[in-house]
Amino acid sequence: MPVQTALPHWETTPDDLRAATREVKAAIRARIAASGRTVEEVFAVVQRGVEAEVADIEAARERGETVWPVIDYADIAAGTVSAADLAHLRRRGCLVVRGHFDREQALGWDREIVSYVERNAFFEQYRGPADDFFGSVASKPEIYPIYWSQPQMQARQSDRMAAVQAFLNGLWKHESEGVRWFDPRRDAMYPDRIRRRPPGATSGGLGAHLDPGTLDLWLTQAYQQAFRHLFDGSVEQYDPWDAAYRTAGPQYPGSTMCSAFRTFQGWTALSDMDHDQGVLHTVPIPGAMAWLMLRPLLPDVADDDMCGVTVNQAFPAGDERWHGPLLRALSGIPDVRAGDSVWWHCDMIHSVAPVTDQRGWGNVMYIPAAPWCPRNEAYSASVRAAFLTGSSPADFPEEHYERDWPGRFTVEQLNATGRRGLAIDG
């Protein structure tokens, strides 16, 4: 293969997004052509692989099988997850952990969150959604911009959470090219919000999208290196489980940004939820990211367009014109009980189904797997400051409801895992 010149890159958001898009698309096409293949040939490799996975998922559904892998927490803790279950998990890229926490503990956490917000007059103070990420969700409120309650922090720093996070991080290749990209045994604490959706709720759900970034996935040097095999014609070598170059690069700022590198997004159930009650769906094909990154290079997409991806909004993945075959694989979680946790690969297309007159509560707290790495260490400084002052973390709107709330989790209550996650002891 000939020596490659660097792709043009923009480490901060370019002033002219369309011009940058045209320039980088032309450069990627030229690099692929230099390998002796066309973009169409490279995309065809991806298309064959993805469509085979879609067919397998559709066949599993026809047989009445649960598409999502389900593994008991006890097997994770004991190191007794079977080779077959591990292979299934790597193939699907998503997981339900049964019994991650005791059901009664999770239900107690749910009650405690209600007590925390009510005694601090949250509903009287609530000013409405401060961003439009969940703008299609019609509840008042459904997403609580609360970060530092006792239940959230107890779950984040628990040994049971650390065990699952380490297990999931371990699915990734975290050392390559002489670099240790992240520490799979140490998680950076990434505080996120709470969802409480009441019985009888009607919600529009969330359309198919993904969250690792937007135009920065094509335009920044670190991500160009992370997706190097997609952009240089060696697509067969692309590995969606390889963390190389993902753990230090920037992300363009915006209302939907995540400053951390997450191996898996996740939430812990605080109520029982049936599979047909407006639940999470994914396209359980980790390699589908190759489709999403290469599809804009085909000639039916305008040169200044990345299939609708732009800054300051979630990466859209629901347009039938470009991603129709992928959407056939959208698969919802099975029934979950309070205390179960749900996880999906950070690059995975996901959505939340709409629901009318929901049966039962739909309550979760969002806790991902975000292993210690340069990118997460950099973000930890702002997380630590937010924790100490009860502020909203930097990735989220500046609402700061909890600054003066009695009963929020304090530094004296941190255990060793919590202190490490916040880098309080270095």
Side-chain angles (χ1 to χ4, degrees):
M1 186 174 294
V3 176
Q4 296 170 345
T5 57
L7 294 172
H9 57 91
W10 296 259
E11 300 310 290
T12 58
T13 309
D15 294 330
D16 188 334
L17 293 173
R18 292 189 178 279
T21 299
R22 285 192 296 269
E23 186 176 347
V24 81
K25 287 176 74 167
I28 294 171
R29 288 178 177 132
R31 177 175 282 192
I32 291 173
S35 75
R37 307 173 90 170
T38 65
V39 170
E40 289 82 356
E41 287 169 341
V42 169
F43 184 77
V45 173
V46 173
Q47 186 172 18
R48 286 192 295 271
V50 166
E51 290 186 344
E53 290 296 321
V54 171
D56 184 73
I57 290 162
E58 290 178 321
R61 285 202 298 250
E62 285 292 317
R63 296 191 297 268
E65 298 173 6
T66 297
V67 172
W68 278 65
V70 178
I71 296 176
D72 288 338
Y73 170 77
D75 286 324
I76 293 173
T80 53
V81 178
S82 70
D85 280 344
L86 280 173
H88 190 211
L89 171 53
R90 286 181 61 84
R91 185 175 187 184
R92 295 283 185 251
C94 53
L95 174 67
V96 173
V97 178
R98 288 276 186 238
H100 189 168
F101 295 100
D102 177 79
R103 181 171 181 272
E104 290 306 314
Q105 180 180 37
L107 293 172
W109 278 341
D110 191 48
R111 291 190 296 270
E112 192 171 348
I113 288 168
V114 172
S115 174
Y116 177 63
V117 299
E118 286 185 344
R119 68 178 182 265
N120 285 295
F122 167 67
F123 298 108
E124 291 81 358
Q125 299 176 46
Y126 182 63
R127 299 182 291 274
D131 63 24
D132 60 1
F133 185 74
F134 293 98
S136 62
V137 177
S139 61
K140 302 179 181 178
E142 176 176 315
I143 303 297
Y144 292 21
I146 302 303
Y147 306 91
W148 309 117
S149 69
Q150 296 283 333
Q152 287 166 288
M153 288 297 292
Q154 289 167 10
R156 289 172 190 147
Q157 70 170 7
S158 74
D159 291 343
R160 296 174 80 92
M161 183 59 69
V164 171
Q165 288 167 329
F167 168 73
L168 294 169
N169 292 339
L171 295 167
W172 283 71
K173 181 191 294 185
H174 61 277
E175 293 187 30
S176 62
E177 303 185 24
V179 177
R180 191 182 201 214
W181 302 104
F182 66 77
D183 180 353
R185 304 298 303 179
R186 177 183 180 183
D187 246 65
M189 190 176 288
Y190 186 81
D192 204 332
R193 298 178 279 195
I194 293 162
R195 187 193 78 191
R196 299 194 82 251
R197 196 164 65 205
T202 293
S203 170
L206 290 172
H209 67 283
L210 58 160
D211 297 328
T214 57
L215 289 177
D216 39 89
L217 299 178
W218 289 274
L219 299 182
T220 61
Q221 190 169 37
Y223 271 112
Q224 289 170 354
Q225 291 174 299
F227 295 121
R228 60 201 178 281
H229 296 303
L230 304 181
F231 297 158
D232 69 6
S234 59
V235 64
E236 290 85 354
Q237 297 178 49
Y238 171 66
D239 179 2
W241 298 99
D242 184 357
Y245 303 103
R246 288 172 173 249
T247 58
Q251 187 177 40
Y252 294 162
S255 62
T256 63
M257 74 178 296
C258 176
S259 296
F261 166 66
R262 297 174 290 191
T263 55
F264 281 79
Q265 294 175 250
W267 51 254
T268 299
L270 299 177
S271 65
D272 300 343
M273 284 172 274
D274 293 342
H275 68 278
D276 58 353
Q277 295 301 297
V279 299
L280 176 76
H281 286 59
T282 65
V283 173
I285 307 170
M289 192 65 176
W291 178 300
L292 295 166
M293 297 303 295
L294 290 170
R295 185 64 182 83
L297 303 177
L298 293 183
D300 63 335
V301 183
D303 283 344
D304 60 0
D305 183 15
M306 288 293 192
C307 294
V309 178
T310 190
V311 298
N312 209 31
Q313 59 183 251
F315 187 127
D319 195 314
E320 291 279 349
R321 288 176 295 169
W322 298 313
H323 308 315
L326 301 177
L327 300 176
R328 292 177 7 224
L330 267 175
S331 302
I333 59 173
D335 295 347
V336 297
R337 288 166 56 84
D340 294 344
S341 60
V342 174
W343 304 86
W344 60 104
H345 186 290
C346 60
D347 289 349
M348 192 159 280
I349 298 169
H350 56 288
S351 65
V352 178
V355 64
T356 301
D357 194 16
Q358 176 179 285
R359 297 192 311 270
W361 285 90
N363 302 345
V364 307
M365 52 182 165
Y366 297 100
I367 303 176
W372 197 254
C373 64
R375 181 170 166 179
N376 294 354
E377 182 177 6
Y379 185 59
S380 71
S382 65
V383 172
R384 187 164 57 250
F387 167 67
L388 293 172
T389 58
S391 303
S392 301
D395 273 356
F396 298 90
E398 296 184 24
E399 295 171 276
H400 310 309
Y401 289 109
E402 296 171 272
R403 281 180 171 171
D404 300 319
W405 284 14
R408 77 168 191 263
F409 198 92
T410 63
V411 67
E412 294 79 17
Q413 296 173 290
L414 291 169
N415 63 16
T417 299
R419 295 180 77 85
R420 276 164 52 86
L422 291 168
I424 282 179
D425 298 324

